[in-house]
């Protein structure tokens, strides 16, 4: 199958059209597909920080965070057939999610 290069409409990266859907590269499709879960993750993470400061029990929130991370993994697997690539993308999304709490802190 021959493939032409297109520019991803989100990040502007050049990707083969065979890898793009709706003119979005795989990275951007993954990012978009888990956006709501990432927000949920950030919310729980802040909640856990808050509880911890109050010396409250955070076990239950830890379970909720793990559940959200599982769902992110499932969504990424639906988009990415390659297991290794899916794992890499999930790791990156989780790193981004865990860092996100700083950028939206105080909101
Ligand atoms: Zn992109």
């Amino acid at each position: 199958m021959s493939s032409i290069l297109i520019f991803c409409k989100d990040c502007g990266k050049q990707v083969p059209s065979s890898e793009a859907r709706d003119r979005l590269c795989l990275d951007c499709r993954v990012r978009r597909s888990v956006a709501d879960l990432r927000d949920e993750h950030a919310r729980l993470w802040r909640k856990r920080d808050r509880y911890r400061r109050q010396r409250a029990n955070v076990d239950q929130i830890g379970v909720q965070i793990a559940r959200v991370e599982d769902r992110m993994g499932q969504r990424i697997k639906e988009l990415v057939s390659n297991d290794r690539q899916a794992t890499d993308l999930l790791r990156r999304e989780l790193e981004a999610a865990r860092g996100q709490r700083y950028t939206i802190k105080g909101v």
Side-chain angles (χ1 to χ4, degrees):
M1 193 175 85
S2 70
S3 185
I4 55 160
L5 289 173
I6 63 149
F7 291 100
C8 169
K9 69 178 174 188
D10 236 20
C11 68
K13 197 167 65 182
Q14 226 179 3
V15 290
S17 59
S18 57
E19 282 176 27
R21 301 279 180 282
D22 305 323
R23 290 177 50 228
L24 289 169
C25 71
L26 182 63
D27 287 355
C28 289
R29 293 205 308 280
V30 165
R31 196 160 41 73
R32 284 180 174 209
S33 77
V34 299
D36 59 328
L37 291 175
R38 242 166 77 167
D39 289 347
E40 174 71 1
H41 189 281
R43 191 183 65 79
L44 289 168
W45 199 286
R46 286 198 306 276
K47 189 175 169 186
R48 186 165 69 176
D49 280 352
R50 202 163 60 234
Y51 276 41
R52 224 176 237 152
R53 280 197 299 277
Q54 297 163 354
R55 304 201 179 285
N57 188 337
V58 294
D59 290 354
Q60 190 53 40
I61 301 173
V63 170
Q64 286 175 287
I65 289 172
R67 202 175 293 147
V68 170
E69 293 185 351
D70 278 353
R71 283 167 62 203
M72 287 170 78
Q74 277 160 18
R75 279 198 200 168
I76 291 172
K77 274 188 190 142
E78 281 168 19
L79 284 174
V80 187
S81 49
N82 180 313
D83 271 358
R84 210 196 121 79
Q85 197 181 12
T87 306
D88 284 349
L89 286 165
L90 174 62
R91 188 180 307 127
R92 206 189 50 202
E93 283 306 316
L94 289 180
E95 279 167 9
R98 290 166 183 176
Q100 192 181 37
R101 72 194 191 278
Y102 295 112
T103 58
I104 53 176
K105 210 168 189 172
V107 172

